[in-house]
Each structure stands twice: as C-alpha cells, then as structure tokens.
Amino acid sequence: DAKHLVPNKMRDFFCTINLDQEEVFRTQVVEKSLSPYFGEEFYFEIPRTFQWLSFYIYDKSVLQKDLRIGKVSIKKEDLCKYTGKENWFMLQPVDSNSEVQGKVHLELKLNELITDNGSVCQQLVVHIKECHGLPLINGQNCDPYATVSLVGPSRNDQKKTKVKKKTSNPQFNETFYFEVTRSSSYTKKSQFQVEEEDIEKLEVRVDLWNNGNLVQDVFLGEIKVPVKVLRNDSFQAWYLLQPRENGNKSSKTDDLGSLRLNICYTEDCVLPSEYYSSLRNLLLKSSDVQPISASAAYVLSEVCRDKYDAVLPLVRLLLHHHKLVPFVAAVAELDLKDTQEANTVFRGNSLATRCVDEMMKIVGKHYLKVTLKPVIDEICESPKPCEIDPIKLREGDNVEINMENLRYYVDKVFREIVQSSISCPTLMCDVFYSLRHLAAKRFPNDPHVQYSAVSSFVFLRFFAVAVVSPHTFHLRPHHPDAQTSRTLTLISKAIQTLGSWGSLTKTKLSSFKETFMCEFFKTFQEEKFTESVKKFLDDVSSTESKEPSGLSEPIHLKEGEMYKRAQGRTRIGKKNFKKRWFCLTSREFTYHKQQDKEPIFTIPIKNILAVEKLDESSFNKKNMFQVLHGEKPLYIQANNCVEASEWIEALCRVTRSNQKRLSFYHPSAFLNGNWLCCKATIENTIGCAPCTADVPIEIDGDRETERIYSLFTINMSKLQKLEEACGSIAVYQGPRKEPDDYSNFTIEDSVATFHTLKQIIDIVEKLNESHEKYRKKRSSSAKYGSE
C-alpha cells in the first residue's frame, strides 16, 4: 500500500513493478484514494541480468498519458537487506536523467607518440565496441548513438558515433583518438592563458543517447573513467551505464508520499550436479532413518527459524526424486504421537502439515483450476449480494435474498469439489491414504478420525484457502473487490464446515462463533451432505489411480494479451504484428481478436513440435518466441521478459510428451528468401541450432539442494549447538545440565542424531570450500569496470 501521495487530493492510482526500465507487472487501479491499498502479490523468476528492481506509482488518467508520481528503486545488491520483512520506502522523484539501464563495452588505451621534432606526447585511444540491454523508448527499440568525450578543467573534446537504427544492442565498433598531453613545441592558439591540465584531472566520458529525429534526443546513461587508471596499460571491459550526476536533484523527496513493500528475493549460485551428490543422498535417505527425528531432512526443519524456509526446497527435492510420500508418512506418525485428542489431528503448523500444504500447492495447481476456476469466475464476474451478518448489512439489503444467493454459491462450489475426485492427482491420493490409515491406527476407537485426517487438508487447507484467495492460487489474475472478497470468505467458511461434517453432529451447531452462520447452517442439515463428503474422502484417499481420462474437460493453463506476426498475409507488402488474446489449455493453443471471442487460430497441443526464443535481430523486437507446428512458425512478442519466459515454460511443459518434437530449429526468421541465422535459402530446411528449451525440468534438484546447503550454512551455529547437546546427552545420562541450550530441539535418539549432524557439518564445510574456489575464480577473472 501507499500513503500521503501527491497531488494532495483523491486520485486513481496504480503501481508497476519494473526490472530496470522494463515493466513486468502492474496492479489494478485503486480509485479515489490518497492512501491506496493494493494488497497484491507477484511471484516471478527473473530470466535475465538486471541492475534495479523499481516500483512506480502512477496517477491514472482517462484522456492524457498516465502521470508518474514517484518511484522506489532498489539496487540488486541491496535487495538482500530488505528481504522477508515489510518496509516503508519514501517515493523518489522520477527524473529522465536517472532512468538508465544497460551496459557498454569499451577498450581504452594510452599510447606514447614521438612527434616530428622528436618530442613525446600521449594519445588516448577509445574503442567503443557495443552496448547491451538499452531500454525500450515508447515500447520500441531505440535509435542509439554515443558521444565520447575527454573532459578536464579546461577542455571538453567530444566525438560522436553513427546512429544505429531500431536496436537495444547496437554494434558500434568505432575508434576515437584524443591528444592527452601536447608536445613542448605546441603553442596555445587560445587567447586565454591556461596551464596544461594534469593527467590526474582528465576523464573519459561516454554518453548514450536515443536519436529523437524531430524531437529532443533522450539520455540513456553515461560512464566515466579517470584517465589516470590507465597509465600505460590497456583496459577492455563492460561498464554498467550510470545515471547523470545532476539527475534527481529535487529537494522535495519527502513530499511525494511513501510505499510499503514486502520483498522476498533469493539468488542461487548453483554448482555442477556432482558437487551436491553427498548432501542430496543424505537428504533422500531421510525417510529410512530411525527415528525420523534423527534424519537430515528433519534436522533441517529444526534448525531453521522459519519452517517454511526449509519446507519448500525439501518438498520439491523429495518430490523430484519420488521420496515424498514415505517421508510425509514418517513425520506424520511423529506428529500423531504428540496428538492427544482425535478432533485435533493435523490442525497445527508442524513439519508434517507444512509438507502436505506445500505438496498440494505444487501438484494440485491444475486440479484446483479444473475444479474451481469456472465457479470462481462466475462469482467474481457477476457477483450477487451474499452478506448475512446483520451488523454488516447495508441499507436496502434483504437478508433472505442474500442467504439464498450464498446458498446457491455454496451448493455450487461444494458440488464441484465432491464430484472432482477423478481429477485428484495420484500423489495427493497416496499421501491422503497414508494419513488416513495412520490416524485410524493412532485413534482406533474413533470412527470419524480417518475422515477428519484427510478433510483437515483437502477441505480446510486446500479448497477453502483457494476459495478465499483465488489470486494466490492463480485462479484469478487480480485480487477481488471488497464485496466479492467478503462473499468468498463466507463461502470458504461454509466449505470448511461442510468438509468436516463427517465428525460434526447437529448438537455442535451451537459451537459456531457467529450466530448468523449457525442460522445459515440450519438449512444444510441433510444426510446427503455427510454422505457426499464421506464418499469424496474415500475416493481421494484411495490408492487406485484417479488420473482424469482423455475425455475430461481441457484444463485452462494460461492466457493473456501478446503480439503475433501475421502468418503469410501482408499489408502493403509488409508483414505486420497485431495484438491478440492468447489462451493455452491442456488440449490446444489459440489466439482470439479479443478475450471471450471465438478463436481465429488454433494449434492442437499434439501438433506443437518445439517452442523456442527468437533472435531479437529478426524483427528488431525484444521478448520474442516462436511456436513451431505443422505450418509456418508462429512468431509471438510478449510484453516483457518475465512473461516471455513464463509462456515458453508453460508451452514446453504441456508439449513435453509430444512424439514428433524437433531436435533442431532456426533461431532467426526466414525473411527475404533466406534464413537470417544460417543463410539457407530453402524455407523448410532442417534447423541450424539444437533445441534449447527442449523439455524443461519442472523441479531443478540441484537448485533445491543448493538452497538447503545455504540454509545449513546460515544455521551452522545451531547445528553445532545441537551436536553438543547430542554429545552431552549421550555421555551424561542424568538430568540435562543446561536445558535452555537444546530444550527446543527434538532429540529422540542422541547417537543417531549426532551421527547425522556430523555428516551434515562435514558436507557443508566441503561445499563451502567449493563455493570459495568459485568466488575466487570469478573475482580474479573480472576486470576493472566489469559487472
């Protein structure tokens, strides 16, 4: 959210997230507010290098261009300072001289020259090679040129490169020569008597500009290099473009308002796979360790301050290697040992419940979409009033009608859920099967516990949570408005209650916190609800295969607006790009003139042969990719780098089992009678480059192991403390001397836990050495001015 925004009156605001100058996400518009609450979450992988993560607040305008109120820009290196906690940031003014991105490749050299009369002078040679990653100007590639200057107290010699048309990665390859010191025979032509400046005060300045043709040129960034660092040496390096020093001079920074952000940023330095084999093997053996509390995976959850940090990479790693079900069963059994009441099974935030939650989010995404998305869309797009709390009713509201509306929605959502068991992923069924039998074994005299063990996850922690926050589960692109959000909350409460009705009798209706919910549920007291829930829970906790048949409805995977190049049609001889609405399901990839219109082009998923990036040089456009199918390639331009990456990944994932996938492709387009990449003149000739985005690994095991190694490294002092605790328990069997040191740890078997800890510490120390070698190698190969 933001507060005290300028101008000091009610406006319509929205916020954008930018990587350098490239917008990757924007929030919905919050109308008529001075302190807008956005409340939106965006999770994304960053597919390229970047310098700044920036957030811009805009004042939405209907007739004119949206006005940028201010920005928060955080350097990539500083993101770790703010990660994982909320911070208020003062908005800074937006100044075109400070909006820069990209880098320039320079070679600088000082030469000594002997003049005709035998005296010595120095000459500076500046070779400007190329630039990379310059910003888009008004959504298009820029027309860049560079000025190269030698600047000192009494001189400013400037030269200029040629303008390169429509490119963000211009190749200049131009060399400029500057006289640094003049020979002693030189006589000043200037009427002003100025001393020769000292070489210590000279600097090379390179400024990048976008050629404005009829309008003013736009500043793209600059770099400065003191001549003294060259001495008699040559430097060749990439330099990151910097803002102008006189940019951002406004003194009114505290008047613009502030923005509250919660940023979580992780960056992984993943070594080759063989480095992780010891740690990976130790983690994968966890489910076989007796007791489970002595396993490496359990120790990880014990030493991490926030269990969530440990659970996410752990679940993904075990899932990737098909070891999750036995591990969940083992930690669930430990959980049940400490559970005294049958009606509280799996209600806490233990390692077992966190693992199941995370597993459901990962493997149940498509299941949620196919089950809930149509009904959630109906609720959000044509909402009916559903408020039944007398305190919150507005004037003119009819509580009976509202109750009928709510009943209609609850019935519909409930019916979709209890009829969805055939779509429930096999892995979820296997986990539920284990939990059901473990709970029944722990509480043999309670007939309901086998159902509540499963419903506590599938109803309370999966479907009910997805209903109340559809944006988090990608069921809706944006947060619903306040009224719809309240409706979804009421539906979610109802679904939780109906889902746990296997153990809920009529006499327990009085236990509702809200009287109005108790009144609402009196209309539900029918045997069929209990029977439907039992049948559904029986089905989803069975080990029989429940995968949907080929006749099931196609699953909606992704949709959005992009540009596509006309396939073969021309307008005045030139092939054109048009904005279209794209939709990907498990069955086909389509584009439409507008959202909700009939498709104008369809590619069945089984016909897609490859999905690859397209070289920017093909059409001088960024973020392009190609979908290769039976006809000509379909060339598509996404709106930003994150979107392009997500579309490529989604398309690759859904086509990974296609029989006729290509091994080679053309990275560039076929234009003017030949392929730009290999110059071949036959359009249907075999590709010249091996397919890179072949079958993406949905989970990168090495990356997850690297994250776990990082967590062990951060918590090394706790590992050592736990090791000491195990040693003292093993040696001294009487009362523990210093319980505060290890009373928070679970130590069932001190010898087995000690053995595991020793292995973890040894492995982490070896990996530390490998990372240190890599860091030294990287720093020694970096040159002055480089990244």
Side-chain angles (χ1 to χ4, degrees):
D1 57 353
K3 65 183 180 184
H4 309 318
L5 297 181
V6 171
N8 204 13
K9 53 185 172 182
M10 298 293 199
R11 291 292 178 93
D12 300 342
F13 294 107
F14 66 93
C15 182
T16 68
I17 304 175
N18 293 51
L19 291 171
D20 298 322
Q21 298 305 295
E22 184 178 23
E23 181 187 317
V24 291
F25 290 106
R26 69 168 56 191
T27 66
Q28 283 189 307
V29 176
V30 177
E31 295 179 346
K32 295 185 172 45
S33 174
L34 261 181
S35 299
Y37 178 76
F38 302 107
E40 298 199 35
E41 290 179 12
F42 301 93
Y43 171 83
F44 56 103
E45 300 265 329
I46 299 177
R48 63 170 176 82
T49 57
F50 70 104
Q51 289 174 252
W52 300 86
L53 178 68
S54 301
F55 303 83
Y56 291 82
I57 294 278
Y58 282 83
D59 177 359
K60 179 76 178 167
S61 175
V62 178
L63 301 173
Q64 299 170 329
K65 192 177 176 185
D66 298 330
L67 176 68
R68 286 196 286 195
I69 300 294
K71 69 172 181 178
V72 172
S73 285
I74 305 169
K75 253 189 169 173
K76 179 185 172 184
E77 294 75 28
D78 295 337
L79 281 169
C80 54
K81 291 181 196 171
Y82 305 107
T83 193
K85 53 184 182 284
E86 286 186 357
N87 291 278
W88 279 100
F89 295 88
M90 299 300 291
L91 288 173
Q92 302 298 318
V94 180
D95 177 350
S96 60
N97 286 332
S98 68
E99 304 288 288
V100 303
Q101 72 173 62
K103 54 189 179 180
V104 57
H105 193 188
L106 287 185
E107 185 174 11
L108 304 168
K109 193 173 183 180
L110 264 182
N111 287 337
E112 283 197 349
L113 297 179
I114 299 173
T115 60
D116 294 340
N117 64 2
S119 59
V120 176
C121 69
Q122 284 189 302
Q123 180 189 57
L124 173 70
V125 183
V126 180
H127 179 192
I128 179 163
K129 295 188 169 189
E130 59 181 318
C131 291
H132 190 269
L134 297 180
L136 300 177
I137 304 292
N138 298 324
Q140 300 297 320
N141 277 325
C142 51
D143 295 338
Y145 70 89
T147 58
V148 182
S149 312
L150 182 63
V151 182
S154 60
R155 72 197 292 182
N156 187 353
D157 302 342
Q158 188 178 90
K159 302 175 192 287
K160 181 179 162 184
T161 67
K162 293 186 175 111
V163 175
K164 299 295 178 182
K165 291 285 187 184
K166 298 279 176 277
T167 177
S168 295
N169 303 316
Q171 304 280 329
F172 291 114
N173 279 321
E174 294 190 42
T175 306
F176 302 102
Y177 301 90
F178 297 91
E179 202 175 56
V180 176
T181 58
R182 300 177 175 116
S183 63
S184 53
S185 61
Y186 177 80
T187 55
K188 293 185 180 66
K189 292 177 184 175
S190 167
Q191 62 191 52
F192 300 103
Q193 293 299 308
V194 289
E195 292 181 17
E196 271 311 320
E197 63 257 86
D198 189 344
I199 195 169
E200 296 287 318
K201 297 174 184 172
L202 291 175
E203 66 180 9
V204 180
R205 197 176 81 204
V206 178
D207 292 79
L208 266 294
W209 298 86
N210 177 56
N211 183 37
N213 291 323
L214 301 174
V215 295
Q216 190 176 358
D217 292 357
V218 177
F219 174 76
L220 301 177
E222 68 177 16
I223 59 129
K224 294 178 178 179
V225 185
V227 172
K228 65 182 179 186
V229 301
L230 301 175
R231 297 299 175 199
N232 293 319
D233 203 355
S234 163
F235 279 98
Q236 182 181 168
W238 283 97
Y239 295 81
L240 294 172
L241 288 167
Q242 301 297 326
R244 269 206 183 132
E245 280 181 2
N246 63 351
N248 267 343
K249 269 198 173 171
S250 170
S251 59
K252 295 189 175 180
T253 54
D254 51 347
D255 298 337
L256 297 175
S258 50
L259 183 65
R260 182 163 56 134
L261 301 168
N262 189 341
I263 300 166
C264 294
Y265 174 72
T266 55
E267 187 175 308
D268 302 314
C269 165
V270 185
L271 299 175
S273 190
E274 60 269 18
Y275 285 88
Y276 301 108
S277 56
S278 300
L279 182 57
R280 184 170 53 239
N281 293 340
L282 188 64
L283 290 160
L284 295 178
K285 282 193 305 190
S286 292
S287 53
D288 303 325
V289 174
Q290 293 290 337
I292 191 68
S293 60
S295 69
Y298 196 91
V299 166
L300 175 70
S301 72
E302 287 282 89
V303 297
C304 285
R305 188 172 60 85
D306 185 350
K307 268 193 173 58
Y308 179 78
D309 291 341
V311 166
L312 185 57
L314 185 58
V315 166
R316 289 169 72 90
L317 182 70
L318 295 173
L319 201 55
H320 184 56
H321 292 280
H322 311 292
K323 295 279 187 179
L324 184 65
V325 177
F327 180 74
V328 167
V331 290
E333 195 167 11
L334 185 63
D335 209 9
L336 287 165
K337 268 188 196 173
D338 297 330
T339 307
Q340 303 308 317
E341 304 259 340
N343 62 353
T344 61
V345 292
F346 305 128
R347 292 297 172 97
N349 254 341
S350 64
L351 178 60
T353 57
R354 286 288 187 93
C355 283
V356 178
D357 283 353
E358 220 43 64
M359 175 277 295
M360 291 191 298
K361 279 184 198 167
I362 295 167
V363 305
K365 277 192 296 191
H366 294 167
Y367 176 36
L368 267 183
K369 275 189 176 175
V370 76
T371 306
L372 289 184
K373 191 171 187 337
V375 64
I376 296 287
D377 284 344
E378 181 189 335
I379 295 164
C380 292
E381 286 160 19
S382 51
K384 299 175 181 179
C386 294
E387 185 56 73
I388 57 171
D389 182 352
I391 299 166
K392 294 187 178 179
L393 284 172
R394 289 184 297 197
E395 198 176 332
D397 279 357
N398 184 319
V399 72
E400 275 95 18
I401 290 173
N402 287 9
M403 202 176 276
E404 275 179 34
N405 292 339
L406 183 60
R407 177 66 196 256
Y408 167 77
Y409 283 147
V410 170
D411 276 344
K412 195 157 187 178
V413 172
F414 178 80
R415 191 166 60 249
E416 291 297 334
I417 291 171
V418 295
Q419 291 176 357
S420 71
S421 58
I422 190 134
S423 303
C424 187
T426 305
L427 189 91
M428 282 175 67
C429 296
D430 290 345
V431 169
F432 295 152
Y433 176 81
S434 291
L435 299 176
R436 177 180 178 170
H437 286 274
L438 286 168
K441 184 177 158 191
R442 172 73 178 85
F443 298 100
N445 300 322
D446 190 317
H448 295 302
V449 75
Q450 59 174 317
Y451 293 109
S452 58
V454 179
S455 69
S456 63
F457 287 106
V458 74
F459 276 100
L460 272 66
R461 303 172 84 117
F462 186 58
F463 284 119
V465 178
V467 168
V468 84
S469 55
H471 171 70
T472 309
F473 289 84
H474 306 292
L475 298 174
R476 295 287 297 170
H478 298 291
H479 281 262
D481 60 52
Q483 185 185 324
T484 310
S485 191
R486 173 66 180 160
T487 299
L488 292 172
T489 301
L490 292 170
I491 296 168
S492 178
K493 284 179 183 230
I495 292 301
Q496 288 180 52
T497 306
L498 288 171
S500 59
W501 222 345
S503 59
L504 191 71
T505 61
K506 293 177 186 182
T507 55
K508 287 190 180 176
L509 278 177
S510 57
S511 65
F512 274 111
K513 289 177 189 171
E514 304 104 333
T515 316
F516 64 86
M517 286 302 284
C518 181
E519 289 301 313
F520 177 61
F521 263 94
K522 284 179 181 173
T523 65
F524 280 87
Q525 293 187 25
E526 300 168 29
E527 188 100 348
K528 67 174 186 180
F529 285 100
T530 311
E531 289 308 310
S532 297
V533 170
K534 279 188 176 178
K535 183 178 184 313
F536 170 72
L537 294 173
D538 278 333
D539 287 346
V540 296
S541 57
S542 159
T543 53
E544 293 171 21
S545 175
K546 292 286 181 296
E547 293 293 352
S549 68
L551 299 171
S552 64
E553 282 296 301
I555 299 166
H556 181 95
L557 301 174
K558 190 167 175 61
E559 62 181 346
E561 211 167 50
M562 295 187 288
Y563 293 85
K564 63 96 193 173
R565 183 174 185 255
Q567 300 185 86
R569 292 186 298 280
T570 63
R571 181 187 286 174
I572 324 176
K574 188 176 178 182
K575 293 191 177 176
N576 57 312
F577 281 82
K578 286 185 177 175
K579 190 184 281 189
R580 293 288 180 254
W581 185 265
F582 286 81
C583 185
L584 175 65
T585 71
S586 54
R587 199 173 288 171
E588 58 193 21
F589 181 49
T590 56
Y591 62 76
H592 316 240
K593 272 201 171 175
Q594 290 172 329
Q595 190 178 2
D596 300 326
K597 298 282 185 187
E598 287 300 306
I600 52 177
F601 190 76
T602 300
I603 307 174
I605 292 301
K606 64 177 192 293
N607 291 356
I608 294 177
L609 309 174
V611 183
E612 291 288 343
K613 287 181 180 177
L614 186 71
D615 278 358
E616 187 183 315
S617 58
S618 298
F619 302 104
N620 278 327
K621 289 181 185 292
K622 281 179 173 289
N623 306 318
M624 287 204 66
F625 63 95
Q626 52 184 319
V627 179
L628 306 171
H629 56 110
E631 301 168 35
K632 293 183 178 182
L634 175 60
Y635 296 132
I636 301 169
Q637 183 188 24
N639 294 303
N640 57 65
C641 61
V642 172
E643 194 180 83
S645 178
E646 287 177 353
W647 272 105
I648 292 170
E649 186 186 352
L651 282 158
C652 286
R653 191 181 298 151
V654 79
T655 59
R656 65 183 166 203
S657 303
N658 287 2
Q659 298 294 313
K660 298 178 181 176
R661 287 184 66 88
L662 295 176
S663 302
F664 291 87
Y665 79 109
H666 290 285
S668 288
F670 186 81
L671 292 173
N672 303 322
N674 68 276
W675 289 101
L676 299 180
C677 39
C678 59
K679 307 304 176 196
T681 54
I682 301 168
E683 192 168 0
N684 61 358
T685 188
I686 193 165
C688 57
C691 285
T692 50
D694 192 11
V695 182
I697 303 170
E698 212 160 330
I699 295 173
D700 184 339
D702 293 336
R703 184 174 175 182
E704 304 307 332
T705 314
E706 164 64 29
R707 284 187 179 170
I708 292 170
Y709 150 73
S710 300
L711 290 169
F712 277 138
T713 306
I714 294 162
N715 294 288
M716 181 55 81
S717 61
K718 285 189 185 175
L719 287 170
Q720 289 164 342
K721 195 177 277 190
L722 187 52
E723 190 181 35
E724 285 170 27
C726 290
S728 74
I729 294 166
V731 173
Y732 181 75
Q733 293 297 331
R736 297 178 178 182
K737 285 182 178 175
E738 296 170 8
D740 290 346
D741 275 357
Y742 45 78
S743 56
N744 294 329
F745 297 131
T746 304
I747 305 174
E748 290 183 281
D749 184 328
S750 56
V751 177
T753 309
F754 184 89
H755 179 65
T756 300
L757 285 161
K758 189 160 183 358
Q759 286 178 284
I760 293 169
I761 292 166
D762 289 347
I763 288 167
V764 168
E765 283 171 355
K766 277 184 188 164
L767 271 167
N768 283 344
E769 288 172 20
S770 303
H771 278 80
E772 194 53 42
K773 276 182 193 168
Y774 170 78
R775 272 192 287 271
K776 280 182 180 170
K777 185 180 172 186
R778 191 177 178 195
S779 62
S780 65
S781 63
K783 294 179 182 175
Y784 172 85
S786 72
E787 291 173 84

